[in-house]
Coordinates of all heavy atoms in Angstrom, one line a residue:
L7 N -82.2 145.6 -68.3 CA -82.3 145.6 -66.8 C -83.7 145.3 -66.4 O -84.7 145.5 -67.1 CB -82.0 147.0 -66.3 CG -80.6 147.5 -66.6 CD1 -80.5 149.0 -66.2 CD2 -79.6 146.7 -65.9
R8 N -83.8 144.7 -65.2 CA -85.1 144.2 -64.6 C -85.3 145.2 -63.4 O -84.5 145.3 -62.5 CB -85.0 142.8 -64.1 CG -84.6 141.8 -65.2 CD -84.1 140.5 -64.8 NE -85.2 139.7 -64.2 CZ -85.8 138.7 -64.8 NH1 -85.4 138.4 -66.1 NH2 -86.7 138.0 -64.3
I9 N -86.5 145.8 -63.4 CA -86.8 146.8 -62.4 C -88.2 146.7 -61.8 O -89.0 146.1 -62.4 CB -86.6 148.3 -62.9 CG1 -87.7 148.6 -63.9 CG2 -85.2 148.5 -63.5 CD1 -87.8 150.2 -64.1
V10 N -88.3 147.2 -60.6 CA -89.6 147.3 -59.9 C -89.8 148.8 -59.5 O -88.9 149.4 -58.9 CB -89.6 146.4 -58.7 CG1 -90.9 146.6 -57.8 CG2 -89.4 144.9 -59.0
L11 N -91.0 149.3 -59.8 CA -91.3 150.7 -59.3 C -92.1 150.6 -58.1 O -93.1 149.8 -58.0 CB -92.2 151.4 -60.4 CG -91.6 151.6 -61.8 CD1 -92.6 152.3 -62.7 CD2 -90.3 152.3 -61.8
D12 N -91.9 151.5 -57.1 CA -92.8 151.5 -56.0 C -94.0 152.3 -56.4 O -94.0 153.0 -57.5 CB -92.1 152.0 -54.7 CG -91.8 153.5 -54.7 OD1 -92.3 154.3 -55.6 OD2 -91.2 153.9 -53.7
S13 N -95.1 152.3 -55.6 CA -96.3 152.9 -56.0 C -96.1 154.4 -56.0 O -96.9 155.1 -56.8 CB -97.4 152.4 -55.1 OG -97.1 152.8 -53.7
V14 N -95.3 155.0 -55.2 CA -95.1 156.5 -55.1 C -94.6 156.9 -56.5 O -95.0 158.0 -57.1 CB -94.2 156.9 -54.0 CG1 -93.8 158.3 -54.1 CG2 -94.7 156.5 -52.7
V15 N -93.6 156.2 -57.1 CA -93.2 156.5 -58.4 C -94.2 156.4 -59.5 O -94.3 157.2 -60.4 CB -91.9 155.7 -58.7 CG1 -91.4 156.0 -60.2 CG2 -90.8 156.1 -57.8
A16 N -95.0 155.3 -59.4 CA -96.1 155.1 -60.4 C -97.1 156.3 -60.3 O -97.5 156.8 -61.3 CB -96.7 153.7 -60.1
V17 N -97.5 156.6 -59.1 CA -98.4 157.8 -58.9 C -97.8 159.0 -59.5 O -98.5 159.8 -60.2 CB -98.7 157.9 -57.4 CG1 -99.4 159.3 -57.1 CG2 -99.6 156.8 -56.9
S18 N -96.6 159.3 -59.2 CA -95.9 160.5 -59.8 C -95.9 160.5 -61.3 O -96.1 161.5 -61.9 CB -94.5 160.6 -59.2 OG -93.8 161.7 -59.7
A19 N -95.6 159.3 -61.9 CA -95.6 159.1 -63.4 C -97.0 159.5 -63.9 O -97.1 160.0 -64.9 CB -95.2 157.8 -63.7
F20 N -98.0 159.1 -63.2 CA -99.4 159.5 -63.7 C -99.7 161.0 -63.5 O -100.3 161.6 -64.5 CB -100.4 158.7 -62.8 CG -101.9 159.0 -63.1 CD1 -102.5 158.4 -64.2 CD2 -102.5 159.9 -62.4 CE1 -103.9 158.8 -64.5 CE2 -103.9 160.2 -62.6 CZ -104.5 159.7 -63.8
L21 N -99.3 161.5 -62.4 CA -99.7 162.9 -62.1 C -99.0 164.0 -62.8 O -99.5 165.1 -63.1 CB -99.6 163.2 -60.6 CG -100.5 162.4 -59.7 CD1 -100.2 162.6 -58.3 CD2 -102.0 162.6 -60.0
T22 N -97.7 163.8 -63.1 CA -96.9 164.8 -63.6 C -96.1 164.4 -64.9 O -95.8 163.3 -65.1 CB -95.9 165.4 -62.6 OG1 -95.0 164.3 -62.3 CG2 -96.6 165.9 -61.4
E23 N -95.7 165.4 -65.7 CA -94.9 165.1 -66.8 C -93.4 165.3 -66.5 O -92.7 166.0 -67.3 CB -95.3 166.1 -68.0 CG -96.8 166.0 -68.3 CD -97.1 165.6 -69.7 OE1 -96.1 165.6 -70.5 OE2 -98.2 165.2 -69.9
G24 N -93.0 164.7 -65.5 CA -91.6 165.0 -65.0 C -90.8 163.7 -65.2 O -90.9 162.9 -66.0
I25 N -89.8 163.6 -64.3 CA -88.8 162.5 -64.3 C -89.5 161.1 -64.3 O -89.1 160.3 -65.0 CB -87.8 162.7 -63.1 CG1 -86.9 163.9 -63.3 CG2 -86.9 161.5 -63.0 CD1 -85.9 163.8 -64.4
A26 N -90.4 161.0 -63.4 CA -91.1 159.6 -63.2 C -91.8 159.3 -64.5 O -91.7 158.1 -64.9 CB -92.0 159.6 -62.0
A27 N -92.5 160.1 -65.1 CA -93.2 159.9 -66.3 C -92.2 159.5 -67.5 O -92.4 158.6 -68.2 CB -94.2 161.0 -66.7
D28 N -91.2 160.3 -67.5 CA -90.1 160.1 -68.5 C -89.5 158.7 -68.4 O -89.3 158.0 -69.3 CB -89.0 161.1 -68.5 CG -89.5 162.5 -69.0 OD1 -90.6 162.6 -69.6 OD2 -88.8 163.5 -68.7
M29 N -89.3 158.3 -67.1 CA -88.7 157.1 -66.8 C -89.6 155.9 -67.2 O -89.1 155.0 -67.8 CB -88.3 157.0 -65.3 CG -87.5 155.8 -65.0 SD -87.4 155.5 -63.2 CE -89.2 155.2 -62.9
V30 N -90.9 156.0 -66.9 CA -91.8 155.0 -67.4 C -91.8 154.8 -68.8 O -91.8 153.7 -69.4 CB -93.2 155.2 -66.8 CG1 -94.2 154.3 -67.4 CG2 -93.2 155.1 -65.2
S31 N -91.8 155.9 -69.6 CA -91.7 155.9 -71.1 C -90.4 155.2 -71.5 O -90.5 154.3 -72.4 CB -91.7 157.3 -71.6 OG -93.0 157.8 -71.4
Q32 N -89.3 155.5 -70.9 CA -88.0 155.0 -71.3 C -88.0 153.5 -70.9 O -87.4 152.6 -71.6 CB -86.9 155.7 -70.6 CG -86.5 157.0 -71.2 CD -85.2 157.5 -70.7 OE1 -84.3 156.8 -70.5 NE2 -85.2 158.9 -70.6
C33 N -88.7 153.1 -69.9 CA -88.6 151.7 -69.4 C -89.3 150.8 -70.4 O -88.8 149.7 -70.6 CB -89.4 151.6 -68.0 SG -88.5 152.3 -66.7
Q34 N -90.3 151.3 -71.1 CA -90.9 150.4 -72.1 C -89.9 150.0 -73.1 O -90.1 148.9 -73.7 CB -92.1 151.2 -72.7 CG -93.2 151.5 -71.7 CD -94.3 152.3 -72.4 OE1 -94.9 151.8 -73.4 NE2 -94.5 153.5 -71.9
E35 N -88.9 150.8 -73.4 CA -88.0 150.5 -74.5 C -86.8 149.7 -74.0 O -86.2 148.9 -74.7 CB -87.5 151.8 -75.1 CG -88.6 152.7 -75.6 CD -88.1 154.1 -75.8 OE1 -86.8 154.4 -75.7 OE2 -88.9 155.0 -76.1
S36 N -86.4 149.9 -72.8 CA -85.0 149.4 -72.4 C -84.9 148.6 -71.2 O -83.8 148.2 -70.8 CB -84.1 150.6 -72.3 OG -84.6 151.6 -71.4
V37 N -86.0 148.3 -70.5 CA -86.0 147.5 -69.3 C -87.2 146.6 -69.2 O -88.2 146.7 -70.0 CB -86.0 148.3 -68.0 CG1 -84.8 149.3 -67.9 CG2 -87.3 149.0 -67.8
Y38 N -87.1 145.6 -68.4 CA -88.2 144.7 -68.0 C -88.8 145.2 -66.8 O -88.1 145.4 -65.8 CB -87.8 143.2 -67.9 CG -87.4 142.6 -69.2 CD1 -86.0 142.2 -69.3 CD2 -88.2 142.4 -70.2 CE1 -85.6 141.6 -70.4 CE2 -87.8 141.7 -71.4 CZ -86.4 141.3 -71.5 OH -86.0 140.7 -72.6
L39 N -90.1 145.5 -66.8 CA -90.7 146.1 -65.6 C -91.5 145.0 -64.9 O -92.2 144.2 -65.5 CB -91.6 147.2 -66.0 CG -92.4 148.0 -64.9 CD1 -91.4 148.6 -63.9 CD2 -93.2 149.1 -65.6
Y40 N -91.4 144.9 -63.5 CA -92.1 143.9 -62.8 C -92.9 144.6 -61.7 O -92.5 145.7 -61.2 CB -91.1 143.0 -62.1 CG -90.4 142.1 -63.1 CD1 -89.3 142.6 -63.7 CD2 -90.9 140.8 -63.4 CE1 -88.6 141.8 -64.7 CE2 -90.2 140.1 -64.4 CZ -89.1 140.6 -65.0 OH -88.5 139.8 -66.0
T41 N -94.1 144.0 -61.4 CA -94.9 144.6 -60.4 C -95.8 143.5 -59.7 O -95.6 142.3 -60.1 CB -95.9 145.7 -61.0 OG1 -96.4 146.4 -59.9 CG2 -96.9 145.1 -61.9
T42 N -96.5 143.9 -58.8 CA -97.5 142.9 -58.1 C -98.8 143.5 -58.1 O -99.0 144.7 -58.3 CB -97.1 142.7 -56.7 OG1 -97.3 143.8 -55.9 CG2 -95.7 142.2 -56.5
E43 N -99.9 142.7 -58.0 CA -101.2 143.2 -57.8 C -101.3 144.2 -56.7 O -102.0 145.2 -56.8 CB -102.3 142.1 -57.7 CG -102.6 141.4 -58.9 CD -103.2 142.3 -60.0 OE1 -104.0 143.2 -59.7 OE2 -102.9 142.1 -61.2
E44 N -100.6 143.9 -55.6 CA -100.6 144.9 -54.5 C -100.1 146.2 -54.8 O -100.6 147.2 -54.4 CB -99.8 144.2 -53.3 CG -100.4 143.0 -52.7 CD -100.0 141.7 -53.4 OE1 -99.4 141.7 -54.5 OE2 -100.3 140.6 -52.8

């Protein structure tokens, strides 16, 4: 799958060891992640 995270989810992944952080970890294995400099 090809996905884009909004900055709120990225911030949440950084701050807490919850769903967003787990998702970022899983994404490395099973999805293509896209973002922008913005």
Side-chain angles (χ1 to χ4, degrees):
L7 296 174
R8 300 163 74 99
I9 69 164
V10 173
L11 302 179
D12 76 8
S13 59
V14 174
V15 173
V17 166
S18 179
F20 175 82
L21 294 175
T22 63
E23 304 242 344
I25 293 287
D28 291 345
M29 191 192 61
V30 170
S31 295
Q32 285 189 35
C33 285
Q34 294 177 60
E35 305 163 7
S36 55
V37 304
Y38 294 115
L39 183 58
Y40 293 84
T41 193
T42 66
E43 280 302 323
E44 293 88 346

